[in-house]
DNA sequence: TTGGTATAGTTGTCTATACCAATTATAGAG
DNA sequence: CTCTATAATTGGTATAGACAACTATACCAA
């Protein structure tokens, strides 16, 4: 295993622990490290790569948190079994979601207006009584057929200059730049229902069909909510996949 | 702030970094540290508590991962906004879930048998062609009224001595002891549907009502699947809540 | 007022070392 | 051969210190 340390560039602007993560991920993917087998010990890796053990440990900790590895005290660190279906957890946008499912997304803007939100929406967005929100309604298509109808609420104070054009692009980058905050966590609620008469037209399904309703509230890293999306999916076309991590 | 270091017991069997986590969580909860304000810097805390900075860092990193704090390079570490509704993410059992919702859970065993699973179930559990699974059907009540019908599949090889009595207790502890592995992550699929004729009886709802179907596959830390649960919830009583973490 | 610079304080990364706790390998006794 | 005590190996916890990257402020000069 000579020359292993050449794999790490200590002068690089990318942190060593990230380089090590990439290295390990590659070797797992190439099945150099096989499922269920243990990878080299932390001490071994630190010698081979000529970095300190604590740095190797940081890399491994991240991969353990990502579910690629698991540790057993006194035994070693092992490659975990890959999941059959990749969870679509991290995804937030309809576009990403559909692409990951191998379908071509498209959208049609139905409505864009500035309103005082319904009470429950205002409460979830932690707004004052008389605060305005943008209300956006869009039909979301996958492979040109309706998949969902999406109603989005964004506080005006978060992004006052929002308009019909900006809404079509990548909002998140704009919001991050404007608020000097990054997009943080989100909370989702999911329920089943019978489609409403109005939505059945938009979704092009008959009444008395089932729909999956997903309500997602997204937060900036400081915990301020900046978006609430209520999506109504055709149950015959859409299944939601997520992962529970321990 | 004299005597701060007495808050940490270095002789304790519980790691210092966990003690610090508790300390910080308490102070956040008691609003000694207010939302949006920065907590003392890592160096300050390490001096006050008489521990090394890296140990303080480990504690804070965990709280950041849990969403209680967020860091900004060059500025400090801040208290995040608490979420309005606590996600029920970590929960796996119906019992826990209902208790967390303030309802009283109960169950009725409908069926317990050993079968060769349907193809798709066997595939998800990564079984060979002729491998048996236990098949358990239970009605799940909340406050004495039907909430869901739950169909569970457990590979016989994972837990051969499973029987109708053991299924009522805490399976997970038994499985962990028997497999020398801990319970790891899980993958969930969620979809909406119209209730089947059979399930409508169990759930005591009329036909053509909506139900939320949750299919969860659970894995041991080494990635081996050990359980598949297919739950059909009454849409009029149940809403699923989860969190997306970044 | 504007722009630059020095400075102090913050988190981010990294090293080197030490000891603890759990597990496994090994040598030796019977 | 089996059992047992010991040693070696592994991940877990903790320390001390160093430098980098970034932020906020104060101050000075144009």
């Amino acid at each position: 295993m000579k020359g292993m340390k050449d794999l790490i560039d200590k002068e690089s602007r990318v942190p060593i622990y990230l380089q090590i993560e990439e290295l390990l991920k590659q070797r797992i993917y190439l099945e150099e490290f096989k499922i269920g087998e243990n990878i080299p010990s932390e001490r071994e890796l630190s010698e081979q790569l000529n970095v300190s053990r604590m740095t190797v440990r940081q890399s491994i900790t991240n991969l353990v948190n990502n579910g690629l590895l698991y540790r057993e005290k006194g035994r070693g660190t092992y490659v975990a079994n890959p999941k059959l279906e990749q969870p679509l957890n991290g995804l937030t946008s309809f576009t990403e979601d559909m692409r990951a499912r191998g379908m071509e997304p498209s959208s049609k803007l139905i409505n864009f207006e500035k309103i005082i939100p319904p009470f429950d929406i205002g409460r979830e967005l932690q707004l004052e009584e008389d605060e305005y929100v943008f209300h956006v309604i869009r039909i979301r298509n996958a492979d040109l057929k309706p998949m969902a109808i999406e109603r989005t609420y964004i506080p005006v104070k978060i992004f006052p200059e929002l308009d019909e054009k900006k809404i079509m692009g990548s909002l998140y980058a704009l919001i991050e730049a404007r608020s000097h905050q990054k997009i943080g966590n989100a909370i989702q609620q999911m329920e089943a229902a019978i489609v409403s008469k109005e939505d059945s037209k938009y979704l092009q399904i008959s009444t008395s069909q089932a729909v999956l309703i997903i309500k997602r509230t997204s937060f900036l890293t400081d915990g301020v909510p900046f978006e609430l999306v209520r999506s109504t999916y055709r149950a015959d076309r859409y299944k939601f996949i997520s992962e529970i991590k321990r």
Side-chain angles (χ1 to χ4, degrees), chain A residues 19 43 68 76 85 125 134 142 144 149 155 193 200 204 219 221 231:
Chain A
Q19 294 184 45
R43 285 174 181 82
L68 273 80
E85 312 198 35
L125 288 172
F134 292 109
L144 300 179
I149 173 165
S200 71
Q204 297 176 22
F219 302 84
T221 43
S231 305

Side-chain angles (χ1 to χ4, degrees), chain A residues 35-237:
Chain A
I35 293 165
E37 283 183 1
N38 49 346
I39 68 172
S41 74
E42 295 174 354
R43 285 174 181 82
E44 211 172 322
L45 281 171
S46 82
E47 274 187 28
Q48 286 178 5
L49 301 173
N50 192 31
V51 297
S52 98
R53 183 186 156 211
M54 290 305 288
T55 302
V56 171
R57 222 180 129 68
Q58 184 176 0
S59 312
I60 291 179
T61 299
N62 288 340
L63 295 181
V64 167
N65 289 339
N66 288 339
L68 273 80
L69 301 174
Y70 63 99
R71 292 200 254 232
E72 293 192 10
K73 190 193 291 191
R75 284 169 48 84
T77 303
Y78 299 80
V79 179
N81 220 343
K83 305 300 185 302
L84 283 183
E85 312 198 35
Q86 285 310 313
L88 306 171
N89 232 355
L91 303 180
T92 44
S93 81
F94 180 81
T95 306
E96 286 178 76
D97 190 1
M98 288 308 115
R99 291 238 169 86
R101 292 164 190 260
M103 291 192 275
E104 191 54 34
S106 56
S107 293
K108 186 182 173 192
L109 185 63
I110 300 293
N111 197 316
F112 181 99
E113 55 184 347
K114 199 187 287 191
I115 61 169
I116 292 192
F119 174 75
D120 57 326
I121 303 286
R123 185 174 153 278
E124 291 220 45
L125 288 172
Q126 302 179 21
L127 300 180
E128 304 298 326
E129 284 276 325
D130 53 349
E131 266 190 77
Y132 277 88
V133 298
F134 292 109
H135 183 206
V136 184
I137 304 181
R138 280 180 288 194
I139 306 296
R140 297 294 209 170
N141 300 305
D143 291 343
L144 300 179
K145 283 202 312 191
M147 176 67 94
I149 173 165
E150 195 180 276
R151 296 176 172 87
T152 303
Y153 302 86
I154 299 174
V156 171
K157 69 173 170 193
I158 293 279
F159 198 4
E161 65 272 34
L162 182 63
D163 59 32
E164 302 195 13
K165 281 174 190 163
K166 291 202 186 73
I167 198 76
M168 303 311 278
S170 171
L171 266 188
Y172 288 2
L174 295 174
I175 288 178
E176 286 193 350
R178 215 199 160 285
S179 66
H180 300 289
Q181 284 280 332
K182 290 189 178 162
I183 309 293
N185 296 345
I187 286 189
Q188 277 181 158
Q189 294 182 15
M190 250 158 288
E191 57 186 319
I194 303 295
V195 69
S196 73
K197 205 163 194 174
E198 182 190 3
D199 288 356
S200 71
K201 286 181 211 151
Y202 288 130
L203 294 175
Q204 297 176 22
I205 53 178
S206 62
T207 53
S208 81
Q209 291 290 304
V211 288
L212 182 67
I213 300 176
I214 302 181
K215 194 174 75 182
R216 186 179 65 229
T217 310
S218 301
F219 302 84
L220 298 168
T221 43
D222 64 0
V224 172
F226 72 93
E227 184 190 50
L228 190 154
V229 183
R230 194 171 186 281
S231 305
T232 303
Y233 286 85
R234 283 175 57 160
D236 61 339
R237 295 195 76 193

